[in-house]
Amino acid sequence: MLESGARMALQIGQQLGNYRLVSLLGHGGFADVYLGEHIHLKTRAAIKVLHTQLASEDVEKFRNEALTIAHLVHPHIIRVLDYDVENSIPFLVMDYAPNGSLRERHPKGTRLSPMVFMPYVKQVASALQYAHDLRLVHRDVKPENMLLGRNNEVLLSDFGIALVTQSSLTQSTEDVVIGTMAYMAPEQIQGKARPASDQYALGVVVYEWLSGMRPFNGSYVEIVTQHLTAAPPPLNEQALAIPHAVQQVVQRALAKDPHQRFPRVQDFADALEQAYQVQQRPIVVAPTVQAYQAKGASAATQVDQSRRPVHTVYPPLSPVVTGPPSFVPPAAKKLGRGLKRGFRVLAILLVLSGLLVCGLGYAAFHWFTVPGAPPSSAGATALASDFVQAVSNRNYDQAYND
């Protein structure tokens, strides 16, 4: 297992592996970082010397973990060039990031605009997603581990370092422990780190960039308790002009239950970017009704007093093609002839009905008044029928010849 011990006394100019130590770049609770120069190639690199001593049975474990980290090749991950253990002290040789970290670029208490921090979030999320796809969890996502390369690109460092050194911490490093604990997910505190734990930590970083403060503060015990039980203070309670959609995205990333967070850390970054894009779409506010009426606008302009001015724009009417005043379309002519014909047929039927009644009355009159043998009912019917048929033929011919 890892053993706590005194830090290795290193001097500038001393050789560590194939590198000569040029200067001390930084000092932290987990490790000291030196600028080193290769003794043969004369190339420069960052030498991270961990604050721990490895027992003999753990040297191989460290080398296996370092080998895994060294195989991470991504444009936003610091490359591990070499690693070794010297006098029981493990160290890593990494690419040198000359522009410091995002913590140095944006000190604590600094609020950032989305135009500044969204590129950071996208680059870090891309690096984390790459590692997660390889079944690796970073475990220590925070601004101090987001370095800036030669072109100010974000380079995520210290993959797995927290896991290697977590049992070597002493009470003297409590401030550093709090610094890391401030970003630690509830399940990671309970020893069950998973990819969603890195998303939670990135969510804390975004919360800090938005508000200028971390969601949970206090002593070590207080921070742990808040991570496990307390909801982060809503961003809208801090009188910040943060879109509601953005607040919802951050709150989801900070959910206590890892299953309630986004399925992937890349999904979190995409949702955050989309929330800002929706918020930044231009909103066109139409002038008042009076302004439009002054310009001769239509009375169709409306104002919704409960919300904001709304201008109803109706689509242009289809042009109406007209001919000369005397022009009548053929279809209209045909329809007119049909209507005339229908009225004529109806009139003819009414006339025929009247004639039939007259014929029957005439036959009945002769039945009672004219001497001689009355015609049979069949004959009367035939007579009336012939009469009606004659009239019918004459009128139909006339109707259809118009």
Side-chain angles (χ1 to χ4, degrees), residues 33-66:
V33 183
Y34 295 86
L35 176 63
E37 183 179 74
H38 198 282
I39 58 176
H40 301 300
L41 303 176
K42 305 302 179 183
T43 55
R44 292 194 167 188
I47 314 298
K48 176 160 286 192
V49 181
L50 305 184
H51 292 165
T52 186
Q53 288 186 326
L54 296 179
S56 56
E57 64 269 17
D58 291 319
V59 171
E60 191 63 27
K61 178 181 178 181
F62 165 77
R63 286 176 173 160
N64 289 335
E65 292 176 346

Side-chain angles (χ1 to χ4, degrees), residues 121 124-125 128-129 132 136-141 146 183-188 193-207 248-255 257-271:
V121 174
V124 172
L128 289 173
Q129 190 60 59
H132 294 170
L136 294 176
V137 181
H138 188 284
R139 291 182 171 86
D140 195 19
V141 177
M146 301 175 187
Y183 302 90
M184 193 172 291
E187 69 276 6
Q188 185 175 348
R194 61 188 70 185
S197 306
D198 289 342
Q199 179 186 153
Y200 183 95
L202 183 58
V204 175
V205 173
V206 171
Y207 187 104
Q248 288 183 317
V249 171
V250 176
Q251 288 173 359
R252 181 174 177 182
L254 295 178
D257 184 354
H259 297 96
Q260 294 180 358
R261 300 170 201 155
F262 291 93
R264 306 183 313 151
V265 67
Q266 188 64 57
D267 297 335
F268 166 46
D270 293 344

Side-chain angles (χ1 to χ4, degrees), residues 11-322:
Q11 301 293 328
I12 301 302
Q14 179 179 341
Q15 182 174 331
L16 193 62
N18 289 325
Y19 288 84
R20 181 178 59 85
L21 302 184
V22 176
S23 63
L24 178 65
L25 295 176
H27 167 73
F30 289 153
D32 290 335
V33 183
Y34 295 86
L35 176 63
E37 183 179 74
H38 198 282
I39 58 176
H40 301 300
L41 303 176
K42 305 302 179 183
T43 55
R44 292 194 167 188
I47 314 298
K48 176 160 286 192
V49 181
L50 305 184
H51 292 165
T52 186
Q53 288 186 326
L54 296 179
S56 56
E57 64 269 17
D58 291 319
V59 171
E60 191 63 27
K61 178 181 178 181
F62 165 77
R63 286 176 173 160
N64 289 335
E65 292 176 346
L67 181 62
T68 300
I69 300 171
H71 280 84
L72 295 177
V73 180
H74 188 274
H76 297 295
I77 293 179
I78 283 283
R79 287 190 309 157
V80 173
L81 307 175
D82 197 1
Y83 55 90
D84 206 346
V85 178
E86 190 164 303
N87 296 328
S88 300
I89 302 297
F91 66 92
L92 299 169
V93 181
M94 305 179 299
D95 271 339
Y96 171 52
N99 291 321
S101 68
L102 286 182
R103 175 62 74 200
E104 296 168 345
R105 176 71 61 88
H106 308 291
K108 292 181 180 179
T110 303
R111 289 186 58 198
L112 304 182
S113 70
M115 294 183 62
V116 174
F117 73 74
M118 273 309 305
Y120 300 158
V121 174
K122 292 168 64 177
Q123 293 175 72
V124 172
S126 174
L128 289 173
Q129 190 60 59
Y130 167 79
H132 294 170
D133 292 342
L134 296 176
R135 299 183 180 277
L136 294 176
V137 181
H138 188 284
R139 291 182 171 86
D140 195 19
V141 177
K142 57 185 180 180
E144 288 82 355
N145 289 334
M146 301 175 187
L147 307 182
L148 293 169
R150 291 176 175 80
N151 299 315
N152 284 315
E153 72 277 17
V154 178
L155 300 171
L156 194 58
S157 69
D158 284 10
F159 268 93
I161 300 300
L163 180 64
V164 173
T165 60
Q166 63 182 356
S167 62
S168 67
L169 299 171
T170 62
Q171 292 299 320
S172 62
T173 61
E174 183 176 353
D175 290 341
V176 178
V177 175
I178 291 177
T180 295
M181 188 62 65
Y183 302 90
M184 193 172 291
E187 69 276 6
Q188 185 175 348
I189 294 174
Q190 297 170 338
K192 300 177 182 179
R194 61 188 70 185
S197 306
D198 289 342
Q199 179 186 153
Y200 183 95
L202 183 58
V204 175
V205 173
V206 171
Y207 187 104
E208 182 179 3
W209 284 337
L210 281 168
S211 65
M213 63 182 67
R214 294 178 295 209
F216 303 124
N217 298 279
S219 67
Y220 177 87
V221 175
E222 290 172 338
I223 292 177
V224 170
T225 302
Q226 292 174 71
H227 274 302
L228 294 175
T229 61
L235 290 167
N236 57 4
E237 289 185 357
Q238 302 179 28
L240 304 175
I242 300 174
H244 180 67
V246 173
Q247 298 179 44
Q248 288 183 317
V249 171
V250 176
Q251 288 173 359
R252 181 174 177 182
L254 295 178
K256 301 300 182 187
D257 184 354
H259 297 96
Q260 294 180 358
R261 300 170 201 155
F262 291 93
R264 306 183 313 151
V265 67
Q266 188 64 57
D267 297 335
F268 166 46
D270 293 344
L272 188 63
E273 182 179 31
Q274 184 178 6
Y276 272 112
Q277 287 176 346
V278 171
Q279 177 66 22
Q280 292 174 357
R281 289 176 182 172
I283 300 175
V284 179
V285 179
T288 62
V289 174
Q290 291 77 8
Y292 270 101
Q293 289 178 342
K295 296 181 180 181
S298 169
T301 304
Q302 304 171 0
V303 177
D304 182 355
Q305 299 293 344
S306 63
R307 297 181 181 177
R308 64 174 185 268
V310 177
H311 177 55
T312 304
V313 180
Y314 294 103
L317 297 175
S318 301
V320 178
V321 180
T322 60

